[in-house]
Amino acid sequence: ADDLIKVAAQRTMRSTAALEAAEAPFDEFCARFPYVETEDQARAIDDTLADLGSGRPADRLICGDVGFGKTEVALRAAFAAAMSGNQVAVLVPTTLLCRQHFLTFTERFAELPVRIEQLSRLVSAKKAAEVRKGLADGAVDIVIGTHTLLADGIRFKTLGLLVVDEEQHFGVAHKERLKRLKADVHVLTLTATPIPRTLQMALTGVRDMSVIATPPVDRLAVRTFILPFDPLVVREAIMREYLRGGQIFYVCPRIADLDRIAKRVSALAPDVKVGVAHGRLGARDLEDVMAAFYDGGFDVLVSTAIIESGLDLPRVNTMIVHRADMFGLAQLYQLRGRIGRAKLRGYAYLTLPPGHRLTGAAHKRLQVINRLDSLGAGFSLASHDLDIRGAGNLLGAEQSGHVREVGFELYQQMLEEAVAAARAEAGGETVVREAQWSPQISIGAAVLIPEHYVQDLDVRLSLYRRIARLEDRSEIDDFVEELTDRFRAPPPEVLHLLEIVAIKQLCRSAGVARVDAGPKGAVLSFKDDTFANPEALIAYISEPQRGVRLRPDNKLVLMRNWRNAEARLDGVNEILGDLTRMKIAAAA
């Protein structure tokens, strides 16, 4: 954990060469963009170029919805880097996206003194060896590649900018290995649906973030339908798109289903031409199928989720997804983003087997994807994903961590403190810890806002946020009145939670770092193992009727027989009140 935070902190303190392009050629390059930049897109471009010219390694996340123009941000950053004499590596998850980016970059950099190459399984072994040699001696300026770029044999002469497109497809180990390729390399990450860990890192300030939420002019939201599979509906959807001159994606979760689905489509709509694409096709066959589909040779492309990443085909405006319950939330969102990229309305049909019972998580995923049907919902979706899956271990290689064990509020605070400390240490400053430390309380009873009491997730989260800010007993009493007025009398779990907030304030006043209470008593640990008024504490302990003793490790033990959680809370409140009064007397 410490290592990863230090890498992030040291990158902010390290200096590197500023990457800036001359104004005249840069303006000419920008003029080749065939659309008008949206307000958010222009801001993201300015932020990115400012990062590149700042003289310190950039680590920026561009969170923009599908089809909102993230690639243009990468193109302009690549121009600034290449024209400053640095190499650019663009890492993409699939061969199809690699091919598309290669064509886009080649077209935009035409007639400029920049050599662009691609590295993926679509490239022959002889050509790949040439590209690797060109990277090592500096002859290749921009390389676009799949995981091949992470191979041990890849060496760069002057790598200045790393662009990670569709970052949710790459593991933590992949991304950290890339950062270590060169400690002062600029990193630009593009995604519509950041994985919870990445989003969390951006929200806590470990990395910078720009959000592109403004849709392009004339863009229409995709209409989404979730329904049991019906041959008549599928035929109607295919024929409507075919008759308006468009093309259709038919997506299946398994390669084994593709041929059966392709035959079914041909039987339902004999007039349409059907092609099949998946990752196990040979490199030449896959390229031929995709080229034919790009050129209008097929009307329906039956494929696996290989088409989910970044593909831009404006003529494809209808999508049918077979067994939608087998796809993840971000996957469904990315797939839906492949259509509706022109000025026509897009239609997505998420089909399920008739009579099939969904799992709880699948039902929740489909509910979210159906609700988030407006433009620019990718960031909201990532926030839902963060809620459904948890943030994971932000600091280690595991994608799922133990946030629930520690408690989200304390975990967040620990992370922010660690980031601040690492940054301060890297800058040679002395670290000043935040005064508002958080005591840990355990009473062996449920402390939460139950779903049956407040059903709406967003309302529950907002109530938790408000509870965390409550300061004294009068505010807590007012909050209980408000809850009773809005929802009905709070159940015991909520009252326990509010009581623990009050106990936390008493702990801070008394200098108690931890309280563990059970049916037979409680153990209190002092902050820094010291108490402000030891004389008064010794006198307090020496009264046998109190049932209090001090252990050799400076922990205070309270021996009681408490029959329930309410009695435990009252007992802990009482001793903390006594300790607070002793501490106040010492200060006076």
Side-chain angles (χ1 to χ4, degrees), residues 35-54:
Y35 309 101
V36 178
E37 296 92 343
T38 63
E39 189 180 327
D40 287 350
Q41 191 183 21
R43 193 181 303 116
I45 290 167
D46 291 343
D47 289 345
T48 304
L49 294 176
D51 284 353
L52 298 181
S54 68

Side-chain angles (χ1 to χ4, degrees), residues 478-549:
D478 290 345
F479 191 74
V480 171
E481 278 185 32
E482 184 191 325
L483 288 178
T484 307
D485 188 43
R486 286 175 66 182
F487 306 105
R488 72 183 180 281
E493 301 98 306
V494 178
L495 295 173
H496 294 166
L497 176 62
L498 292 167
E499 197 58 45
I500 279 182
V501 171
I503 286 174
K504 272 192 175 185
Q505 298 299 339
L506 278 174
C507 282
R508 288 195 183 104
S509 305
V512 172
R514 186 182 179 101
V515 176
D516 291 295
K520 300 290 184 185
V523 178
L524 283 69
S525 308
F526 292 111
K527 192 169 186 285
D528 304 324
D529 289 336
T530 58
F531 185 64
N533 192 346
E535 293 84 3
L537 183 61
I538 290 165
Y540 186 80
I541 293 166
S542 61
E543 297 176 23
Q545 73 274 16
R546 294 194 184 275
V548 179
R549 63 184 176 83

Side-chain angles (χ1 to χ4, degrees), residues 358-422:
L358 296 178
T359 64
H363 183 70
K364 199 177 282 189
R365 287 198 298 271
L366 292 171
Q367 267 188 325
V368 169
I369 200 80
N370 195 35
R371 198 161 67 235
L372 296 179
D373 59 352
S374 58
L375 291 167
F379 191 78
S380 305
L381 175 130
S383 308
H384 277 281
D385 214 8
L386 183 68
D387 172 60
I388 291 172
R389 292 203 281 163
N393 186 347
L394 275 61
L395 308 171
E398 306 92 352
Q399 290 286 14
S400 56
H402 303 283
V403 180
R404 286 179 189 167
E405 304 290 319
V406 183
F408 194 73
E409 180 195 350
L410 178 62
Y411 184 78
Q412 199 81 341
Q413 187 177 326
M414 285 162 61
L415 177 69
E416 284 166 16
E417 280 182 10
V419 171

Side-chain angles (χ1 to χ4, degrees), residues 251-396:
V251 184
C252 306
R254 295 198 180 105
I255 291 175
D257 296 332
L258 293 179
D259 289 337
R260 182 170 56 83
I261 294 291
K263 285 175 185 165
R264 183 190 280 169
V265 171
S266 296
L268 285 172
D271 297 341
V272 303
K273 297 192 189 80
V274 182
V276 176
H278 56 81
R280 286 193 198 152
L281 279 179
R284 180 60 52 214
D285 294 339
L286 182 61
E287 189 156 13
D288 289 347
V289 168
M290 290 311 296
F293 190 62
Y294 270 81
D295 299 337
F298 298 120
D299 302 302
V300 179
L301 183 70
V302 178
S303 78
T304 55
I306 191 173
I307 57 106
E308 93 178 67
S309 299
L311 293 190
D312 187 10
L313 289 91
R315 285 187 59 207
V316 187
N317 286 302
T318 292
M319 172 176 285
I320 299 158
V321 180
H322 178 66
R323 285 302 303 268
D325 57 308
M326 294 177 73
F327 292 95
L329 182 55
Q331 258 190 321
L332 287 171
Y333 192 77
Q334 287 284 354
L335 284 167
R336 189 173 69 180
R338 297 309 112 222
I339 60 172
R341 297 169 78 94
K343 295 181 182 181
L344 289 171
R345 170 80 71 186
Y347 297 93
Y349 298 84
L350 309 184
T351 68
L352 303 165
H356 180 69
R357 286 196 65 178
L358 296 178
T359 64
H363 183 70
K364 199 177 282 189
R365 287 198 298 271
L366 292 171
Q367 267 188 325
V368 169
I369 200 80
N370 195 35
R371 198 161 67 235
L372 296 179
D373 59 352
S374 58
L375 291 167
F379 191 78
S380 305
L381 175 130
S383 308
H384 277 281
D385 214 8
L386 183 68
D387 172 60
I388 291 172
R389 292 203 281 163
N393 186 347
L394 275 61
L395 308 171

Side-chain angles (χ1 to χ4, degrees), residues 142-165:
I142 299 176
V143 64
I144 296 147
T146 55
H147 289 73
T148 317
L149 279 182
L150 305 174
D152 290 335
I154 301 292
R155 297 282 179 275
F156 293 91
K157 187 181 180 187
T158 54
L159 181 62
L161 173 66
L162 167 69
V163 179
V164 183
D165 197 6

Side-chain angles (χ1 to χ4, degrees), residues 21 26 29-33 35 37 41-42 45 48-49 52 71-81 105 108-109 161:
F26 183 68
F29 180 80
C30 296
R32 295 182 184 181
F33 183 48
Y35 309 101
E37 296 92 343
Q41 191 183 21
I45 290 167
T48 304
L49 294 176
L52 298 181
T71 306
E72 183 61 22
V73 180
L75 278 161
R76 297 194 189 181
F79 181 88
F105 273 69
R108 287 294 297 278
F109 281 88
L161 173 66

